[in-house]
Amino acid sequence: MIGSPLISLVSAPCYKSFADVVASVACDFGHKDSTPLEFLHESVSSARVNELRLRAFANLNSINWVDLLGDSLFGQICRLIGPDLLIQKKINLSVQMPHDQSSVLPGHSDCNSGDSPYQLNLWIPLTSAYGTNSMFIFDEARSIDYYTRVKRNELYDPAILDHDFVDVKAGEALIFPPTLYHGNVTNTTSETRISLNVRCKSLFSPGSLSRSLDREIGAYYQVWSNSAHTQWASRVESLLC
Amino acid sequence: MVQFRAYAVGESRGELAVLKFFGYTVPRRFGTYSIPISIQSAYLRHFAAGHGAQFALPITEFYIPGNYTGLLRLISSPDVKHIVCVSIYVFDGLSSCKAVNNQFIGREDIKVWCALENEVSSPSGTLSRLEHFRSLVKYSGLNVV
């Protein structure tokens, strides 16, 4: 699946800063600092994991995560969708503990609720992701099959095969269009997977399919970067109009 | 702390049962409403808490008008006994999607809770009430498309 031209696997050294934030919160929940986050489930029960996740989410969003991400990933994203970018206002955190059903996110496309099909997902595991503790991503053909059935108001319950899961090491990041059908299953490995995800898109690409303001700049996105060219053009436009 | 538990509709007071609400949110216009998903979710969570019910993460419908795949997934699960939505008008247009409509009214074991209208009924009862509201609201000059 990593071989798909739509998916990029890149280096993300920024993950360490994010992992430190999560580890610090985990300590408040009884997790030993010396124990890798992959074994978070040995000290935090699934009943408390959402409380931990919410606290870590708040802490992550209180630091300058946009700049941290940008240092690692901005160049690659520019090459994909240009230098004038919007990014989600909050970075999201997922914690998938072994055998915890509550963290299962069934297969979907982010377009389901009207997100722009032009956005990209940045997926940054803070622990190594593999097999069922990772996520699965379908290729273009199977994603099209999904959309075809949705349009016909049919349920789509495909078999998820081993090779559908992405292997991404801590320190790497996946950049992929969330219009590829993706999700996760019950984690049957012995390790917890913790990952960050955030969406970005070109300032000039079409927006929300549902034409809803809660998927636009303001409620959903913030400006990440404006190229010098765009800044100049905006200035000229405001002078002339 | 006062413990409050909602009784399952129809059960005698001698049998306590904790309700589990399955939320159903809609990211497109329904009736004359266009309510962001985050607002719908927060409202449904509050509604469930007010009824002492457990609240499962909402299923969000597809944004495509006339699409009810999300609802179909909900009613396909035998575990779902209580669906909660912000308004009865989320089902506006369902009658045009015969396959899902028929499966919906086939689940007479489900209770549908429509928060804004404070209506609780079976699927067929819900659709019947919706038609009733539509027949009356036109007198207000409202064009509920």
Side-chain angles (χ1 to χ4, degrees), chain A residues 111-112 146 150 153 156-157 209, chain B residues 36-37 62-63 67-68 73:
Chain A
C111 265
N112 288 5
Y146 164 70
V150 160
N153 271 295
Y156 183 66
D157 285 313
L209 292 176
Chain B
I37 295 299
F62 279 78
Y63 77 92
N67 192 284
Y68 291 93
R73 184 159 296 283

Side-chain angles (χ1 to χ4, degrees), chain B residues 20-83:
Chain B
K20 185 169 183 182
F21 283 172
F22 287 82
Y24 176 59
T25 54
V26 177
R28 59 186 187 231
R29 186 175 290 270
F30 50 90
T32 60
Y33 299 125
S34 183
I35 306 175
I37 295 299
S38 53
I39 306 290
Q40 292 185 47
S41 297
Y43 183 53
L44 294 182
R45 189 177 299 276
H46 173 80
F47 182 82
H51 284 77
Q54 293 176 1
F55 183 64
L57 276 180
I59 290 247
T60 297
E61 189 51 88
F62 279 78
Y63 77 92
I64 303 170
N67 192 284
Y68 291 93
T69 317
L71 179 64
L72 181 60
R73 184 159 296 283
L74 257 185
I75 61 180
S76 297
S77 169
D79 295 337
V80 174
K81 299 294 184 199
H82 297 273
I83 293 175

Side-chain angles (χ1 to χ4, degrees), chain A residues 64-131:
Chain A
N64 201 348
W65 60 268
V66 179
D67 285 348
L68 273 174
L69 264 192
D71 289 343
S72 291
L73 301 177
F74 184 76
Q76 176 65 12
I77 295 166
C78 273
R79 279 189 281 280
L80 292 171
I81 57 174
D84 295 287
L85 297 169
L86 302 175
I87 192 165
Q88 243 179 314
K89 293 184 77 170
K90 303 272 186 197
I91 192 164
N92 300 300
L93 174 72
S94 299
V95 180
Q96 201 183 4
M97 291 186 168
H99 310 294
D100 180 18
Q101 300 266 9
S102 66
S103 60
V104 172
L105 189 58
H108 64 281
S109 156
D110 286 15
C111 265
N112 288 5
S113 46
D115 278 27
S116 168
Y118 294 87
Q119 71 186 10
L120 288 179
N121 262 21
L122 316 180
W123 194 72
I124 307 124
L126 307 183
T127 57
S128 287
Y130 61 93

Side-chain angles (χ1 to χ4, degrees), chain A residues 118-178:
Chain A
Y118 294 87
Q119 71 186 10
L120 288 179
N121 262 21
L122 316 180
W123 194 72
I124 307 124
L126 307 183
T127 57
S128 287
Y130 61 93
T132 58
N133 90 4
S134 182
M135 69 166 161
F136 62 84
I137 307 179
F138 281 8
D139 60 19
E140 294 94 299
R142 291 168 80 193
S143 299
I144 286 173
D145 188 30
Y146 164 70
Y147 290 117
T148 307
R149 286 169 192 260
V150 160
K151 285 211 78 176
R152 295 200 297 245
N153 271 295
E154 289 174 14
L155 286 182
Y156 183 66
D157 285 313
I160 297 162
L161 308 171
D162 288 346
H163 66 254
D164 293 323
F165 293 97
V166 292
D167 284 0
V168 184
K169 296 185 190 46
E172 295 178 327
L174 215 57
I175 305 174
F176 72 100

